[in-house]
Amino acid sequence: MDHTLVAPTPPLGWNSWDCYGAAVTEKEIRGNAEYMATHLKAYGWSYITVDIQWYEPLANSSQYRPFAPLIMDEYSRLMPAENRFPSAADGQGFKPLADYVHSLGLKFGIHIMRGIPRQAVHANTALLGTSSTAREIAHTNSICPWNTDMYGVDHNKEGAQAYYDSLFELYASWGVDLVKVDDIAASRLYDTHQPEIEMISKAIKRAGRPMVLSLSPGPAPVEYADFFAEQANMWRVTDDFWDQWPLLLDMFDRCRTWQALPKEGCWPDCDMLPLGHIGIRSVDGGGADRWTRFTKDEQLTMMSLWSIFRSPLIFGGELRDNDDWTLSLLTNREVLRMHRESHSAREVLRQGDLIVWTAAHVDGSTYVAVFNVGEQQVLPVELNLTTAGLSPSVASQGIELWSGDLIEVNGDILQTNVPSHGVRLYHFK
């Protein structure tokens, strides 16, 4: 199976982490899926992903409970906690929930941690498809520094690949379309866990069901770009991203580092969009239950940078609480067209508080994003279009995609005013 065919364009979806942390429930998953089917599916949004700790019955926030008992089957595989996901009763796992998401015309994703449950290793439980046991394949010195659930899997041990094969065989039987694997793309203690990435990639191919493979957290090392592109569909270029301007400002450097690398099936990932109502049961990111702290201009900047760079767009807020403004950010057809159909995005100018990105559309037209990353309330800009790679003779008129305003160009100079932390996003035909 050619993994580049699984995600030919950057995925668009929703993930439960920013609003519910480790404590999301089936009712909340279903409710957000219903909203997406009604309001967003027509615009290309499709993935509904259950983030971490769905196998932990007493999870109640984004704070992990050290060495908490986890729900597990007889083959050392984690299973949904039935008190939070009632349809998982009787060993059905996520199949009923995935079936419901599919019935809405959407796709279903789950988060997992790299490795094998510690409680399986300590109990030395069985593995499916091999005579090896959990203890025999565990790499007990390979641990996650921020979550106690798992040990790494030693790829040199007999039965290691069979364990990962059994996981993805299970996920395929559930109908999973995306798997976000955590503690694997970058590590505070170790380098990128390449052997486990390779085992997971192989297990997906063997499972016989197309699944998007998303790797977290970041920053993924850019020197491994070819490896990531060969093995996965998405990989994080940042640690967890939250609604704080310094993190958004920093993302310009990260996107510039990776700017030549997005391509069909392979998407460097700027992380979730902390928009709308977030922090409901997630206390990460320096805040509790709140509306996003980004100003409207900062929200436009984030959406414009993610879209022109072609990061996956994964919304983090409680969809059902969206106001008209937040919904408008997700349903701008021209911005989404740029995200879906453009290529060759790059930073072409960085001068003081002014940053300019361009991208080409497959029809030969050009996108230009003009950012003001400074504190000056309004930044007057006179941009020579040749700097953006445009021929003035074919770029006499453009459209600002967020406002829909027509822009006239005088000679070869684009004159505009950009608010602090804001953007003007143009399409020149």
Side-chain angles (χ1 to χ4, degrees):
M1 185 185 304
D2 184 351
H3 84 284
T4 63
L5 301 179
V6 178
T9 58
L12 283 73
W14 175 85
N15 177 290
S16 59
W17 174 256
D18 283 0
C19 47
Y20 294 114
V24 72
T25 66
E26 179 169 352
K27 183 178 179 180
E28 289 156 347
I29 296 294
R30 288 176 178 255
N32 278 274
E34 290 158 5
Y35 179 98
M36 181 177 286
T38 300
H39 299 283
L40 296 174
K41 183 174 69 171
Y43 297 86
W45 297 81
S46 59
Y47 288 94
I48 294 288
T49 300
V50 183
D51 210 83
I52 195 169
Q53 304 289 121
W54 39 266
Y55 38 79
E56 212 271 81
L58 301 181
N60 58 18
S61 76
S62 56
Q63 300 300 298
Y64 308 117
R65 301 192 313 125
F67 307 104
L70 310 176
I71 304 301
M72 192 177 73
D73 74 1
E74 67 271 31
Y75 295 116
S76 309
R77 301 177 297 187
L78 295 170
M79 301 291 286
E82 295 176 14
N83 63 317
R84 293 168 51 199
F85 300 93
S87 71
D90 302 319
Q92 295 185 88
F94 272 133
K95 187 177 189 328
L97 181 54
D99 286 348
Y100 180 70
V101 171
H102 292 154
S103 77
L104 299 174
L106 304 175
K107 297 181 179 181
F108 181 71
I110 61 172
H111 171 293
I112 66 170
M113 294 294 294
R114 169 186 71 89
I116 188 166
R118 289 195 191 202
Q119 69 183 43
V121 175
H122 296 162
N124 202 25
T125 49
L127 306 176
L128 185 64
T130 176
S131 60
S132 299
T133 63
R135 187 175 302 165
E136 289 170 340
I137 70 165
H139 190 335
T140 55
N141 287 329
S142 180
I143 60 172
C144 175
W146 43 266
N147 181 286
T148 60
D149 291 345
M150 315 292 275
Y151 288 123
V153 170
D154 188 339
H155 71 287
N156 292 309
K157 296 296 182 63
E158 181 71 28
Q161 184 65 55
Y163 165 72
Y164 271 122
D165 289 351
S166 75
L167 285 187
F168 285 87
E169 177 184 294
L170 178 66
Y171 304 155
S173 74
W174 288 347
V176 171
D177 303 295
L178 178 151
V179 181
K180 174 183 173 183
V181 186
D182 215 333
D183 186 40
I184 199 163
S187 172
R188 299 172 191 170
L189 297 179
Y190 318 96
D191 198 358
T192 299
H193 293 281
Q194 294 190 40
E196 286 192 81
I197 293 173
E198 290 175 332
M199 284 193 288
I200 289 168
S201 180
K202 183 181 294 185
I204 290 175
K205 292 181 175 68
R206 291 179 173 179
R209 180 181 178 83
M211 297 183 212
V212 171
L213 176 55
S214 170
L215 306 178
S216 287
V222 70
E223 58 267 29
Y224 298 155
D226 290 343
F227 173 82
F228 289 123
E230 181 181 343
Q231 302 293 335
N233 303 107
M234 300 164 49
W235 54 91
R236 284 261 296 276
V237 300
T238 178
D239 204 340
D240 284 4
F241 179 83
W242 286 103
D243 49 334
Q244 298 164 329
W245 171 249
L247 296 179
L248 179 50
L249 180 61
D250 177 64
M251 199 60 65
F252 284 91
D253 291 338
R254 297 184 186 276
C255 289
R256 179 172 60 179
T257 297
W258 287 89
Q259 65 185 9
L261 296 162
K263 62 180 182 179
E264 183 177 359
C266 307
W267 308 111
D269 178 11
C270 294
D271 199 15
M272 285 179 281
L273 301 162
L275 295 171
H277 187 190
I278 59 176
I280 297 170
R281 290 197 296 279
S282 178
V283 297
D284 272 17
D289 193 340
R290 65 189 183 279
W291 207 256
T292 184
R293 293 171 296 199
F294 281 139
T295 67
K296 287 187 174 180
D297 282 316
E298 290 167 349
Q299 293 174 55
L300 291 173
T301 287
M302 177 176 61
M303 288 298 299
S304 298
L305 181 60
W306 268 235
S307 296
I308 199 168
F309 175 72
R310 304 190 77 196
S311 169
L313 299 179
I314 309 297
F315 188 83
E318 168 53 72
L319 286 170
R320 294 169 292 179
D321 292 342
N322 280 353
D323 57 6
D324 290 343
W325 163 262
T326 306
L327 181 59
S328 75
L329 296 174
L330 309 181
T331 55
N332 185 307
R333 290 194 184 276
E334 289 303 312
V335 174
L336 291 171
R337 180 170 177 250
M338 175 187 70
H339 179 254
R340 183 175 63 252
E341 300 176 5
S342 65
H343 61 89
S344 305
R346 62 191 181 98
E347 181 186 290
V348 296
L349 180 64
R350 186 179 292 217
Q351 184 175 318
D353 294 332
L354 174 66
I355 298 178
V356 179
W357 275 69
T358 66
H361 189 267
V362 292
D363 66 8
S365 59
T366 302
Y367 296 97
V368 180
V370 183
F371 299 95
N372 172 11
V373 299
E375 305 306 316
Q376 185 174 336
Q377 187 171 2
V378 176
L379 179 66
V381 175
E382 292 191 355
L383 178 66
N384 189 317
L385 290 177
T386 59
T387 301
L390 290 174
S391 169
S393 62
V394 297
S396 59
Q397 191 175 79
I399 299 175
E400 204 289 317
L401 296 186
W402 291 113
S403 65
D405 294 341
L406 291 176
I407 306 299
E408 299 291 339
V409 176
N410 298 317
D412 59 354
I413 302 297
L414 169 65
Q415 294 182 319
T416 189
N417 294 301
V418 188
S420 174
H421 297 186
V423 64
R424 297 287 182 258
L425 179 61
Y426 301 105
H427 186 198
F428 290 102
K429 298 185 178 181

